[in-house]
Amino acid sequence: RLQLVPPNDLRNPIASANLRLRVSGPRQVEVPLGTFRAYKVSSTIDLEILVGSSRGTTVNLEQVHWVVPHIGPIKTELLQKTLDPRGADLGTFGSDLEAISINF
């Protein structure tokens, strides 16, 4: 669990967050560039904005990166969901990026 605090007021956090990281073993991943043996690196961040002692907006961010050690990321998936203090959905954003070329 992490806390975001302003530089001049360490006792009153403006947000708190949970961060989880996971790495899986290699799997075959197909992208427009070809098929690769890639590791799945995923992270989840649950960020809650604090308003005084009350709960504010919450942002849930999930990222998955498929990484080939000698090339780097070949595929990235992103999902962001924003909720109001009562848990109502304020919006969702997602994107998927796949490798079509490699620059050295």
Side-chain angles (χ1 to χ4, degrees):
R1 185 142 177 98
L2 308 169
Q3 288 194 322
L4 224 58
V5 295
N8 299 331
D9 189 3
L10 300 178
R11 292 187 183 151
N12 293 307
I14 55 175
S16 65
N18 286 319
L19 170 64
R20 292 177 297 282
L21 296 170
R22 293 177 211 89
V23 178
S24 74
R27 299 180 190 166
Q28 292 294 108
V29 177
E30 187 176 330
V31 295
L33 183 62
T35 302
F36 298 91
R37 226 168 124 75
Y39 291 87
K40 181 181 179 182
V41 179
S42 60
S43 65
T44 305
I45 300 170
D46 297 318
L47 178 67
E48 182 179 285
I49 308 301
L50 304 173
V51 182
S53 60
S54 301
R55 178 180 174 185
T57 302
T58 302
V59 178
N60 305 107
L61 180 62
E62 296 179 28
Q63 296 181 55
V64 176
H65 304 281
W66 294 93
V67 179
V68 178
H70 64 285
I71 295 175
I74 59 165
K75 183 174 182 175
T76 298
E77 303 162 2
L78 169 73
L79 180 63
Q80 177 179 312
K81 188 173 192 174
T82 306
L83 307 169
D84 76 6
R86 292 185 283 293
D89 189 351
L90 294 175
T92 301
F93 169 80
S95 68
D96 293 329
L97 304 169
E98 294 183 337
I100 58 172
S101 68
I102 296 174
N103 292 324
F104 290 97

